[in-house]
Amino acid sequence: MENNKNNVNKETVLALKDAIELLGGKWKFCILHNLQNYGTMRFKDLKETSQGISPKVLSKELQELEENQLITRTVNNTKPVTVSYKLTKHATESQPVLKALIDFGLKHRKKIKEK
Amino acid sequence: MENNKNNVNKETVLALKDAIELLGGKWKFCILHNLQNYGTMRFKDLKETSQGISPKVLSKELQELEENQLITRTVNNTKPVTVSYKLTKHATESQPVLKALIDFGLKHRKKIKEK
DNA sequence: GTTATGCATTACCTTTAGGAAAGTGACTAT
DNA sequence: ATAGTCACTTTCCTAAAGGTAATGCATAAC
């Protein structure tokens, strides 16, 4: 193990930890992925496409994503009230992560099936 | 929200969930990243570079990564015993994920600092 | 006025993740 | 004999994640 990469690493490791904190957990990637595919979505839509999520958890995840400026939340003037969520510009930077994760997952599934 | 993408999505969502299950948690990405940078590493090296990890957790993470064929474990013929870990071929497919996560993390850090 | 819709929130509970501290066992050096 | 190294393992504990079920609230339809 060499020693000359330590400076480079410190920053990248911090970036990595930040990213994991922001996007970690069971549902965030899934939510972002759905928003990426469908564009603007309502609470109900997200609940249906993120199969298995409870309203409580979905609500919490959306709040966290909003706090980190990855999505915007808009209350619509409808009856009953509907609320729309969509990705921010900044969230488009998470697209390569999603793509890479899906690629990796697909390859892994293939590999497992070979046996 | 359209309806015509559902078939495409089912597979990609499963792949996404697989990837999250394999790579999720606080430490796996960090460990993979270190192994990618340094090549072969011993338990002690990984413990030092993954700052803050406890031996128990490191041990567990390594076992899981080995089970999923992302790393190999080799007991060396030294005294005292040392054990070497390195990425498998298959693990190179996780490289784009790491790169994307780090990119995202760096951009996010920059954005946060602007305020 | 009872029921339904949409978006939550609340209370409660279980499971999992993960940390701290100590110990194990095989070996070596002093 | 004592102390140290390495790679764990064990025990004990706390905090966080996440699930279920019920409730709140504004509105509207029947």
Side-chain angles (χ1 to χ4, degrees):
Chain A
M1 201 178 108
E2 314 112 53
N3 230 3
N4 57 340
K5 286 178 187 167
N6 279 0
N7 295 331
V8 183
N9 269 357
K10 267 176 197 160
E11 241 187 298
T12 58
V13 169
L14 285 178
L16 191 50
K17 289 191 173 177
D18 281 4
I20 292 167
E21 220 187 298
L22 250 69
L23 305 174
K26 195 172 168 184
W27 295 107
K28 296 226 176 62
F29 281 116
C30 190
I31 292 167
L32 292 175
H33 181 238
N34 284 325
L35 286 171
Q36 214 168 86
N37 277 332
Y38 294 112
T40 301
M41 294 178 86
R42 292 185 299 144
F43 190 85
K44 199 199 167 205
D45 297 329
L46 283 164
K47 220 188 96 183
E48 278 160 15
T49 50
S50 310
Q51 274 197 27
I53 200 169
S54 71
K56 176 195 135 186
V57 174
L58 177 55
S59 181
K60 203 202 69 190
E61 300 289 72
L62 289 170
Q63 277 173 33
E64 288 174 14
L65 288 171
E66 201 194 354
E67 273 168 30
N68 289 315
Q69 305 179 46
L70 294 174
I71 62 172
T72 58
R73 180 179 183 276
T74 316
V75 180
N76 303 309
N77 200 6
T78 56
K79 314 142 193 173
V81 177
T82 57
V83 182
S84 297
Y85 297 92
K86 55 182 275 201
L87 298 183
T88 60
K89 237 190 216 171
H90 183 225
T92 56
E93 278 155 17
S94 72
Q95 205 170 342
V97 182
L98 280 167
K99 194 187 169 320
L101 271 175
I102 290 166
D103 279 6
F104 176 81
L106 287 172
K107 279 176 191 161
H108 190 79
R109 297 194 127 234
K110 221 179 197 170
K111 219 206 157 198
I112 296 304
K113 277 184 191 163
E114 278 170 14
K115 287 183 297 190
Chain B
M1 199 180 107
E2 315 112 51
N3 230 3
N4 57 340
K5 286 178 186 167
N6 279 359
N7 296 330
V8 183
N9 269 356
K10 267 178 196 159
E11 242 188 296
T12 58
V13 168
L14 285 178
L16 191 50
K17 289 191 172 176
D18 280 4
I20 292 168
E21 220 187 298
L22 249 69
L23 305 174
K26 195 173 170 184
W27 295 108
K28 295 226 178 62
F29 282 116
C30 190
I31 292 168
L32 291 176
H33 181 238
N34 285 325
L35 286 171
Q36 212 168 89
N37 278 331
Y38 294 112
T40 301
M41 294 178 86
R42 292 186 299 143
F43 190 87
K44 198 198 167 205
D45 298 329
L46 283 164
K47 220 188 94 183
E48 278 160 15
T49 50
S50 310
Q51 272 197 29
I53 201 169
S54 71
K56 176 195 131 184
V57 174
L58 178 54
S59 180
K60 203 200 71 191
E61 300 291 71
L62 290 171
Q63 278 172 34
E64 288 173 16
L65 288 171
E66 202 195 352
E67 273 169 29
N68 289 314
Q69 305 179 46
L70 294 174
I71 62 172
T72 57
R73 181 180 183 274
T74 316
V75 180
N76 303 309
N77 199 6
T78 55
K79 316 143 195 173
V81 177
T82 58
V83 181
S84 296
Y85 297 91
K86 54 182 277 198
L87 298 183
T88 61
K89 237 189 215 169
H90 183 224
T92 57
E93 278 154 18
S94 73
Q95 206 169 340
V97 182
L98 280 167
K99 194 186 169 319
L101 271 174
I102 291 166
D103 280 5
F104 176 81
L106 287 172
K107 279 175 191 161
H108 190 80
R109 299 195 126 234
K110 221 178 196 169
K111 219 207 158 198
I112 297 302
K113 276 184 190 163
E114 278 169 15
K115 286 183 299 192

